[in-house]
């Protein structure tokens, strides 16, 4: 950790009092954003303090910054993926599924997990293209959850929370 932390700097609490947080994401400027779970807010850390970035994020869950600098967020309440501009204005990118987590590739492709919320339907991994078209790229996991890309963007990693396995997929 000494390679990334300021020498002699101690840990400190930036914000507290939440029932849960989700979707920690950092933009190119190093600004940190997170969702507050049931409070429906997206927060931004400014000078070490949490301030509201989005007042009602429609139960925002996983989120990541895209190559265009926008904050992409899964909105569970509306079954949408939205992209927030730097002023907090939302644009719907895709809809029609209750996503959980997402990651955004350098080419603008968005990969989204849709967990088996009813414990009967199979989980899905979706690919959402920059033009909004979407397709299921896997439906064999029990409870797809966390998702990320390798640094070189050639592998997609998806965690299956119920099996405690992490699967890797080659990206075409």
């Amino acid at each position: 950790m000494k390679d990334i932390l300021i020498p002699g700097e101690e840990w400190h609490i930036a914000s507290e009092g939440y029932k849960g947080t989700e979707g920690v994401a950092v933009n190119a400027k190093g600004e940190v954003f997170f969702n507050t779970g049931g409070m429906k807010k997206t927060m931004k850390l400014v000078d070490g303090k949490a301030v509201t970035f989005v007042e009602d994020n429609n139960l925002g869950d996983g989120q990541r910054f895209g190559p265009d600098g926008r904050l992409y967020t899964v909105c569970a309440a509306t079954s949408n993926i939205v992209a927030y501009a730097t002023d907090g204005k939302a644009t719907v990118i895709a809809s029609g599924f209750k996503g959980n987590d997402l990651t955004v590739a350098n080419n603008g492709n968005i990969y989204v997990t849709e967990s088996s919320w009813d414990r009967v339907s199979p989980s899905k991994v979706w690919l959402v293209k920059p033009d909004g078209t979407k397709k299921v790229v896997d439906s064999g996991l029990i409870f797809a959850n966390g998702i990320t890309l390798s640094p070189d963007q050639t592998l997609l990693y998806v965690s299956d929370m119920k099996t405690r396995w992490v699967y890797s997929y080659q990206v075409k």
Side-chain angles (χ1 to χ4, degrees):
M1 296 291 285
K2 65 182 178 181
D3 293 339
I4 62 171
L5 297 178
I6 299 170
E9 182 73 22
E10 296 293 324
W11 291 96
H12 65 278
I13 295 174
S15 187
E16 61 185 333
Y18 308 106
K19 291 182 181 178
T21 59
E22 178 70 47
V24 176
V26 180
N27 66 14
K29 295 178 190 175
E31 298 170 319
V32 178
F33 295 73
F34 63 94
N35 292 321
T36 61
M39 292 173 62
K40 299 182 183 181
K41 294 183 181 192
T42 300
M43 308 299 287
K44 175 182 175 181
L45 293 181
V46 177
D47 298 325
K49 304 277 187 214
V51 298
T52 301
F53 177 67
V54 175
E55 188 65 42
D56 183 356
N57 63 17
N58 291 304
L59 292 176
D61 207 343
Q63 58 188 12
R64 290 287 183 268
F65 280 91
D68 57 3
R70 296 189 296 173
L71 180 61
Y72 290 79
T73 305
V74 174
C75 300
T78 57
S79 299
N80 290 332
I81 294 173
V82 301
Y84 292 107
T86 56
D87 63 359
K89 183 178 182 211
T91 301
V92 175
I93 302 300
S95 59
F97 55 93
K98 189 175 180 182
N100 187 359
D101 284 326
L102 60 73
T103 193
V104 185
N106 292 339
N107 65 3
N109 286 345
I110 304 166
Y111 296 92
V112 186
T113 55
E114 182 178 20
S115 304
S116 177
W117 299 108
D118 62 6
R119 310 283 195 246
V120 176
S121 306
S123 286
K124 296 175 184 161
V125 178
W126 291 85
L127 165 62
V128 179
K129 296 286 198 167
D131 66 2
T133 60
K134 62 186 189 246
K135 70 176 183 175
V136 174
V137 293
D138 186 67
S139 60
L141 303 180
I142 296 171
F143 199 88
N145 192 11
I147 188 166
T148 195
L149 286 157
S150 62
D152 66 2
Q153 309 262 307
T154 62
L155 295 172
L156 179 69
Y157 299 105
V158 181
S159 67
D160 188 329
M161 235 171 74
K162 295 298 178 186
T163 65
R164 300 184 185 195
W165 286 84
V166 175
Y167 293 88
S168 65
Y169 302 81
Q170 286 188 322
V171 177
K172 291 183 181 181

